[in-house]
Amino acid sequence: MKKRLIYSLFLLFTLFTLGSTLTILYIYRTTFSLRTLIALHRVEIIRQNLVISVQTVQSDLYTIGTPYDTGVDETVKNVIHLDKSVDICLGCHHTPEMTARLTQIDQLTDNYKDVLSNLITTSASPGHIKRLRMAAIGIGSTLLNKSRQMALIANNRLNGETLTVMEQISNSRIILLVTLVLSFCIALVIAIMMTRQITAPVNALVGATRQIKSGELGYIIPFKGKGEFGELIDSFNDMSLTLKDSNEQILRYLHNLSNLYSITITFHSVTSMHDIFKELSEGIRDLTEAQQSGILLRDGEGEFFSHMYPACGITEENAKEMRIESPVLENLYHSSMRRALILNEDIQKSPTASVDARLGVRNVMFVWVGHKGKPMGVMRVANKKTGDFTEEDARLMAILGNSFFVALENVRLWESLRLQMKELKDTQEQLVQAAKFAAIGELASNVAHEINNPLTSILGYAELMREDEDINNIRRDLDIIEKESLRARDIVNSLLEFSRKKPLKMGLVDINRVLGSVIELIGVQTKDSNIRIAADWGSVPPLKGDEDQLKQVFLNLASNAVFAMGKSGTLGIRTFVQGDFANIQISDTGKGIPEEIMNRIFEPFFTTKNEKGTGLGLSISYKIVQSHNGFFDVESEPGRGSRFTVRLPLGDKTVKAKLVSINPSGSSLPVES
Amino acid sequence: MKKAFFAFLFLFFVFLTLFLFAAAGASAAETKTLLVGLVPEENIFRVMEQHLPLAQYIEEKTGIKVRFTVLPRYGDVIDKFKARHMDGAFFGAFTGYLAHVKLGVEPLVRPIGPGGLVTAQSVIFVRKDSGIQSFQQLRGKRAVFVDKAAASYIYLLYQLRRLGVSNTGEKRFFSGHYFTGNNEESIYAVLNGGADVGLAKSRYFEKLSSQDPLVSERLFVLSRSGDMPDIVLCLRKDFPPATKALLERTLMNMRYDPEGIQVLRVLRYSGFEKADAADFDPVARLADGAGIKIPSYRYAR
């Protein structure tokens, strides 16, 4: 292209030079002719001047001595002008013939001057003067004739030359026009050809770049050409193919990374050994496109590395057969510098060679899973579907191995955590039960007193029956005994019902009804005191919860209130709906909670009841309310009482638990949850 | 203080006005063209052509414009000097003397001719083949003169007077005569047989003798006068002295100036030197010897 460009430019330059030369030549020729014409015009003017000068002097000559005499000065001036005209003529370049003519005129002019001078200055007889005048007139006439002849010659030549020049100008105009048009056309053709030669490959390149931009990597430009554009297009095609290869490689990497990611994510979501081995073996199989895949891990005693199952492409029996002594693998681990063992040909070197043979292994690869410089396991893949195992396969497996090891540790930790959680749950249940028992124990004395009354009645009426013979009285006594016995049974049943350990049972709970049963239990406790129960039931729709656990919460709060008041006071119970929450307020007019312990009241085993309390009541209540997506509000004023508000969501909305306390001055304080 | 300021202002305007008038006057003087006459001692066209570069030179050097005018008769110089308000003229020996006496013109410079000559003589010549050997033999011959105001004519009168011919008898002494008006034509008239005896200034006779062999071969100088001024540039008597001095200085320095030398070469001079009225003394003696009374001399032909 470069050569072509140079040749084209050279051609254009040559064309331009030829055109310019031709133009200059014709301009020069024409201007030269014009110059000649102008020179001829000048000659003609000079000669006409000469003629005019001679005529003027002749005129002067005729008027000398007459009234029309213009004076000597004018005559002298005219003659000098004539002389100069002749000198100018002589000063020009002429042919010898013309020079001879001019020389003759010059001589005649000199004679004319002499005769004229003589005529002007002479004072002689009229005859002499007449002779002088006639001589002057004769010379002047000759001079005039010769000058006219000269002028005529110049005029004729001028006419001829003018015609020639006009013809030349006309020819030059045509030739220049033709040259201009021809040059323009040729230059246009060259320009179009060059443009096409440049734009064709450029357009092909642009089109190809668009193809590549649209995703058609590897697009090949079909343009065939030599030179720079040919090289450029070849390079472009190479680049396109390279891009395609690179893109495919990137996609392959991305695919592998995606697989790795998927496998890794799966690793972190599995919670059992079975699943992790299954995911690992399938992941290795997919990554390396192998038929067999699995992992050998150090067994419990550490003497062997055993193939784990599930695995891909082998049976559980084959897996059990693949058992390698630890020292053998450790030696291999260290001797290979922890690098993967790729056996595409020498499969007899495989540490599982004995089993490999039976499994029809063509090629096999072992990739180490190490930790702190020790081999913890080795991943095994065999029989790659296409070709041999590569370092790339090994690298991917190594990454997978690292994730696997982490995932394996996670599974182990998860199992350990699950065990611990189970233990913790059991402990918590025991704690809840203990708290319940403590509450029951607290109620027990009062309950015993309550039961004791019907029992006393029963015993009294039993004594009366023994002594009474009237059947009617006995029947009436038996009715009373029955009634008292039923009352005692109800009390005991209530207590048993509460103390029974039950699984969490979520259902619709009527809060007012639950609180009613709590009041019933508390009523027994407050019967012999001056504690008044003031209940204010709001319209609260049933809400989702565990009735038994909520009853435990409310009973705990009510018991605490009764304890805080001692022998007298008012236990306030109020329900109402505020926003999306059901509010259950249990208040007392007791001694209140001191500010310094307000933040600790929900801590486990924190109590102000000394040996009478376990310190678990409020903490368990808190957990229960939290498990119902509810929260506590606590307000207390020392010496005036406390108010606990349980807020339970009415719908399914989850409300983050929060604790707020009201200090004596009435401002809110957060309570650490 | 205020009075002094106004006095200063008044004087300033007075001087300014005077200066402007003076400048305008000087400018007018400078721009005036000097009219200088030329005596037709030879071909009048050649005389004019030779003097035109001098006019250009003077103008270039001094700013003074000079226009030359050729006078067809020697005596015209005297007659037309006043009539045409001429400022000066290159006079011949006798015309210069006449103008000096009659018009009061003052000699300024005179040209230095070839060989350093500043003077010329008048010659009376004849053809060799005419057989004339003495002045007496001229009686009855055809004569050709340059001009009655030319020195050569005065010299002829002087010689005729020595022969006893009165000033008015010269026309009868010769059988015929005419005036050519210039020296060269006079010489050629004798050479060509138009006359038997001729008068001319020696400078022209010698110039033609050197240029045309026929002149030296065929003509013979019968008598030659003493030295008289060749050409003298005289200015009118009331010519501005400053301009006069400037002209004199310029002309006298021409021979030291390359451009001036070029102009002098055209004039066939080697320079100019100072002239004064005493230069006309030989002419005065010659005229006196010829019995000419200048005031009454009729120089017209």
Side-chain angles (χ1 to χ4, degrees):
Chain A
M1 190 61 208
K2 190 178 174 184
K3 282 182 181 174
R4 201 173 292 171
L5 200 66
I6 290 168
Y7 287 151
S8 301
L9 285 173
F10 179 73
L11 190 62
L12 277 172
F13 177 74
T14 309
L15 196 68
F16 174 76
T17 309
L18 279 173
S20 302
T21 308
L22 203 63
T23 306
I24 290 167
L25 200 67
Y26 270 90
I27 288 172
Y28 181 78
R29 194 176 152 192
T30 309
T31 52
F32 181 77
S33 300
L34 286 170
R35 201 162 53 191
T36 307
L37 203 62
I38 291 164
L40 282 172
H41 267 288
R42 286 180 61 193
V43 168
E44 197 200 8
I45 290 166
I46 290 167
R47 289 180 186 177
Q48 289 292 344
N49 269 338
L50 181 63
V51 171
I52 291 166
S53 297
V54 175
Q55 285 174 336
T56 308
V57 174
Q58 281 286 81
S59 172
D60 291 342
L61 179 62
Y62 286 121
T63 57
I64 288 172
T66 69
Y68 304 105
D69 191 351
T70 51
V72 177
D73 283 346
E74 191 62 28
T75 305
V76 169
K77 192 177 81 177
N78 291 334
V79 171
I80 288 171
H81 183 69
L82 169 64
D83 200 28
K84 278 185 181 173
S85 298
V86 176
D87 287 343
I88 289 167
C89 282
L90 268 172
C92 300
H93 179 72
H94 295 290
T95 58
E97 185 194 355
M98 195 57 66
T99 308
R101 281 170 181 265
L102 284 169
T103 308
Q104 201 176 6
I105 286 175
D106 188 42
Q107 286 170 355
L108 274 171
T109 307
D110 285 344
N111 290 341
Y112 196 42
K113 281 164 65 180
D114 288 341
V115 173
L116 278 173
S117 176
N118 206 10
L119 178 65
I120 291 166
T121 58
T122 295
S123 295
S125 62
H128 185 78
I129 295 295
K130 189 178 178 183
R131 276 196 303 277
L132 282 175
R133 188 184 296 275
M134 290 310 293
I137 289 168
I139 295 169
S141 297
T142 310
L143 193 59
L144 190 60
N145 285 334
K146 289 194 178 292
S147 299
R148 279 177 179 160
Q149 281 174 10
M150 294 284 289
L152 192 64
I153 290 167
N155 193 27
N156 287 337
R157 196 176 160 200
L158 181 65
N159 285 336
E161 196 69 28
T162 304
L163 288 173
T164 309
V165 170
M166 289 298 287
E167 194 179 355
Q168 274 182 6
I169 288 170
S170 179
N171 290 338
S172 298
R173 200 180 293 162
I174 292 166
I175 287 168
L176 286 176
L177 191 68
V178 169
T179 306
L180 191 69
V181 171
L182 205 64
S183 301
F184 176 75
C185 291
I186 294 171
L188 190 68
V189 170
I190 292 170
I192 290 169
M193 283 172 66
M194 279 183 65
T195 307
R196 281 187 180 167
Q197 284 175 0
I198 291 169
T199 54
V202 169
N203 287 338
L205 277 168
V206 171
T209 52
R210 284 180 182 153
Q211 293 285 343
I212 288 172
K213 186 184 172 187
S214 64
E216 196 180 335
L217 297 177
Y219 178 81
I220 300 296
I221 301 171
F223 183 85
K224 298 289 178 194
K226 292 178 180 176
E228 288 79 1
F229 276 116
E231 289 176 16
L232 181 63
I233 284 170
D234 288 345
S235 301
F236 186 89
N237 288 340
D238 291 345
M239 183 196 74
S240 178
L241 290 172
T242 308
L243 272 175
K244 185 184 178 187
D245 292 343
S246 300
N247 187 57
E248 285 174 355
Q249 197 171 0
I250 288 166
L251 287 175
R252 200 162 54 247
Y253 286 155
L254 280 173
H255 177 70
N256 290 335
L257 284 172
S258 176
N259 283 342
L260 268 174
Y261 178 73
S262 302
I263 296 163
T264 307
I265 291 294
T266 311
F267 277 168
H268 293 297
S269 62
V270 298
T271 54
S272 68
M273 289 295 183
H274 177 274
D275 290 346
I276 199 170
F277 292 140
K278 182 173 176 290
E279 294 296 337
L280 176 68
S281 54
E282 286 176 356
I284 295 171
R285 181 194 62 192
D286 293 343
L287 279 178
T288 59
E289 298 178 339
Q291 290 175 339
Q292 299 171 14
S293 59
I295 187 166
L296 290 87
L297 288 177
R298 196 190 288 270
D299 59 17
E301 291 75 26
E303 295 176 0
F304 292 97
F305 281 83
S306 303
H307 201 295
M308 300 293 115
Y309 195 83
C312 289
I314 56 172
T315 61
E316 191 169 359
E317 285 72 26
N318 294 142
K320 284 179 180 173
E321 285 176 30
M322 287 189 201
R323 205 156 178 256
I324 307 166
E325 290 177 354
S326 294
V328 175
L329 268 189
E330 282 172 358
N331 283 337
L332 200 57
Y333 177 75
H334 292 296
S335 63
S336 66
M337 305 291 285
R338 306 176 190 179
R339 294 185 64 185
L341 185 64
I342 301 171
L343 301 170
N344 286 317
E345 291 174 356
D346 301 331
I347 56 168
Q348 65 276 9
K349 292 180 181 175
S350 166
T352 56
S354 57
V355 186
D356 290 346
R358 276 189 282 119
L359 291 173
V361 170
R362 299 190 310 277
N363 47 17
V364 65
M365 180 170 69
F366 294 89
V367 180
W368 302 104
V369 178
H371 182 63
K372 293 182 179 175
K374 285 185 178 180
M376 305 306 292
V378 62
M379 289 177 285
R380 174 186 173 277
V381 283
N383 289 356
K384 189 175 174 74
K385 287 178 185 172
T386 52
D388 294 336
F389 289 111
T390 62
E391 289 290 341
E392 180 63 25
D393 293 332
R395 195 158 53 247
L396 287 170
M397 280 181 65
I399 296 167
L400 196 60
N402 290 334
S403 292
F404 165 75
F405 187 75
V406 174
L408 187 66
E409 288 298 310
N410 283 343
V411 168
R412 284 173 179 163
L413 287 170
W414 170 253
E415 284 188 347
S416 170
L417 185 65
R418 194 167 55 185
L419 287 171
Q420 287 176 8
M421 288 294 290
K422 189 173 180 302
E423 287 172 8
L424 184 62
K425 191 179 176 186
D426 292 345
T427 307
Q428 277 184 337
E429 283 177 358
Q430 286 170 10
L431 278 171
V432 170
Q433 195 60 27
K436 194 183 282 182
F437 287 153
I440 291 167
E442 202 170 326
L443 290 169
S445 58
N446 296 322
V447 171
H449 178 72
E450 186 62 23
I451 293 171
N452 197 41
N453 287 337
L455 286 175
T456 305
S457 297
I458 290 167
L459 284 171
Y461 282 104
E463 288 294 329
L464 287 172
M465 279 171 65
R466 193 174 286 161
E467 294 172 1
D468 199 351
E469 291 178 354
D470 188 357
I471 191 69
N472 290 329
N473 290 335
I474 292 170
R475 275 188 186 155
R476 191 193 63 208
D477 292 341
L478 280 172
D479 288 341
I480 292 170
I481 288 168
E482 187 183 14
K483 187 182 174 185
E484 290 298 319
S485 299
L486 286 172
R487 192 163 71 91
R489 191 188 68 182
D490 287 346
I491 292 168
V492 170
N493 281 344
S494 298
L495 202 58
L496 283 173
E497 183 68 19
F498 178 65
S499 63
R500 193 177 293 138
K501 185 181 177 184
K502 294 176 183 174
L504 186 66
K505 187 181 177 184
M506 298 296 278
L508 286 175
V509 179
D510 182 353
I511 290 295
N512 287 343
R513 190 177 60 75
V514 173
L515 282 166
S517 65
V518 170
I519 288 172
E520 196 174 325
L521 284 171
I522 287 298
V524 176
Q525 191 177 348
T526 59
K527 189 176 180 181
D528 294 333
S529 63
N530 288 326
I531 293 173
R532 189 174 65 88
I533 297 174
D536 178 8
W537 307 114
S539 177
V540 179
L543 53 83
K544 198 174 180 181
D546 184 314
E547 184 175 327
D548 192 48
Q549 288 195 350
L550 290 174
K551 185 194 278 183
Q552 184 180 345
V553 171
F554 301 145
L555 183 62
N556 182 267
L557 292 174
S559 294
N560 286 346
V562 170
F563 179 81
M565 289 185 289
K567 292 297 181 182
S568 62
T570 302
L571 172 66
I573 295 175
R574 182 184 170 219
T575 59
F576 59 97
V577 172
Q578 188 176 41
D580 295 329
F581 289 88
N583 291 264
I584 301 98
Q585 279 184 352
I586 296 172
S587 59
D588 63 68
T589 55
K591 55 190 176 185
I593 303 167
E595 192 179 347
E596 60 271 16
I597 65 166
M598 180 63 86
N599 290 338
R600 298 188 62 198
I601 58 174
F602 290 102
E603 289 179 9
F605 306 110
F606 179 81
T607 180
T608 56
K609 297 175 182 175
N610 298 325
E611 69 280 358
K612 290 182 180 177
T614 60
L616 291 169
L618 275 180
S619 67
I620 288 170
S621 297
Y622 173 76
K623 292 285 181 189
I624 291 169
V625 171
Q626 194 180 35
S627 69
H628 283 74
N629 294 326
F631 55 92
F632 273 98
D633 272 355
V634 182
E635 298 162 274
S636 181
E637 193 174 348
R640 298 192 64 179
S642 304
R643 182 166 67 193
F644 284 74
T645 305
V646 176
R647 297 180 188 272
L648 295 171
L650 289 171
D652 292 334
K653 290 179 182 175
T654 301
V655 181
K656 188 177 179 181
K658 66 175 184 179
L659 298 173
V660 177
S661 69
I662 303 298
N663 65 8
S665 60
S667 60
S668 297
L669 282 172
V671 175
E672 189 179 336
S673 65
Chain B
M1 189 67 190
K2 197 179 277 184
K3 283 181 180 176
F5 173 73
F6 281 114
F8 171 77
L9 205 63
F10 174 75
L11 285 172
F12 173 76
F13 280 112
V14 165
F15 280 113
L16 184 67
T17 310
L18 287 173
F19 172 77
L20 288 173
F21 274 111
S27 179
E30 281 173 8
T31 53
K32 183 180 179 297
T33 302
L34 297 182
L35 187 63
V36 178
L38 296 171
V39 176
E41 286 195 332
E42 54 183 311
N43 187 313
I44 55 170
F45 308 115
R46 205 174 301 135
V47 169
M48 180 59 84
E49 282 170 349
Q50 286 168 358
H51 282 83
L52 284 177
L54 180 63
Q56 195 176 348
Y57 179 80
I58 291 169
E59 185 176 351
E60 279 177 11
K61 295 296 175 183
T62 63
I64 300 167
K65 286 184 180 175
V66 176
R67 187 166 74 84
F68 288 109
T69 178
V70 175
L71 300 161
R73 309 279 189 275
Y74 276 55
D76 287 351
V77 178
I78 308 299
D79 296 337
K80 293 183 180 176
F81 197 91
K82 268 193 171 180
R84 290 180 62 181
H85 303 289
M86 291 166 72
D87 296 292
F90 280 95
F91 291 100
F94 187 68
T95 50
Y97 176 61
L98 266 178
H100 178 63
V101 174
K102 290 174 83 75
L103 304 174
V105 298
E106 293 171 354
L108 184 70
V109 292
R110 58 182 181 177
I112 304 166
L117 291 174
V118 292
T119 56
Q121 302 95 38
S122 294
V123 291
I124 299 170
F125 53 89
V126 294
R127 279 200 313 279
K128 286 181 180 176
D129 59 358
S130 67
I132 298 170
Q133 294 292 325
S134 66
F135 216 87
Q136 294 290 344
Q137 291 176 305
L138 292 176
R139 186 180 294 270
K141 300 292 182 188
R142 288 171 298 134
V144 60
F145 310 134
V146 177
D147 198 287
K148 279 186 79 175
S152 56
Y153 188 76
I154 305 303
Y155 178 60
L156 176 70
L157 292 180
Y158 171 76
Q159 289 293 354
L160 287 176
R161 195 179 182 209
R162 284 180 65 190
L163 289 174
V165 179
S166 66
N167 284 352
T168 55
E170 80 275 8
K171 293 175 184 172
R172 288 191 295 273
F173 183 74
F174 297 104
S175 60
H177 73 278
Y178 68 94
F179 295 93
T180 59
N182 68 69
N183 292 281
E184 289 178 349
E185 286 305 315
S186 179
I187 294 165
Y188 279 113
V190 175
L191 183 67
N192 296 330
D196 299 313
V197 59
L199 306 178
K201 188 182 273 189
S202 62
R203 181 158 59 89
Y204 293 101
F205 189 85
E206 279 145 18
K207 188 185 86 175
L208 287 184
S209 295
S210 62
Q211 288 175 355
D212 189 349
L214 287 176
V215 173
S216 54
E217 282 174 15
R218 294 182 181 178
L219 297 183
F220 165 67
V221 175
L222 191 64
S223 177
R224 183 184 292 267
S225 72
D227 286 339
M228 286 181 287
D230 188 349
I231 299 289
V232 180
L233 173 62
C234 298
L235 300 176
R236 59 183 161 87
K237 59 182 177 186
D238 55 348
F239 197 83
T243 312
K244 184 178 177 182
L246 180 63
L247 269 178
E248 182 186 324
R249 194 166 58 248
T250 305
L251 290 169
M252 288 183 68
N253 288 333
M254 273 182 80
R255 55 178 156 173
Y256 308 114
D257 176 17
E259 290 176 36
I261 290 167
Q262 290 291 328
V263 175
L264 288 170
R265 199 167 290 160
V266 176
L267 287 164
R268 298 197 196 93
Y269 298 148
S270 57
F272 287 96
E273 68 172 27
K274 183 85 178 86
D276 57 32
D279 294 337
F280 295 122
D281 287 351
V283 186
R285 284 195 296 272
L286 182 69
D288 189 52
I292 291 172
K293 304 295 180 195
I294 293 300
S296 59
Y297 179 65
R298 297 179 64 179
Y299 44 81
R301 293 180 223 163

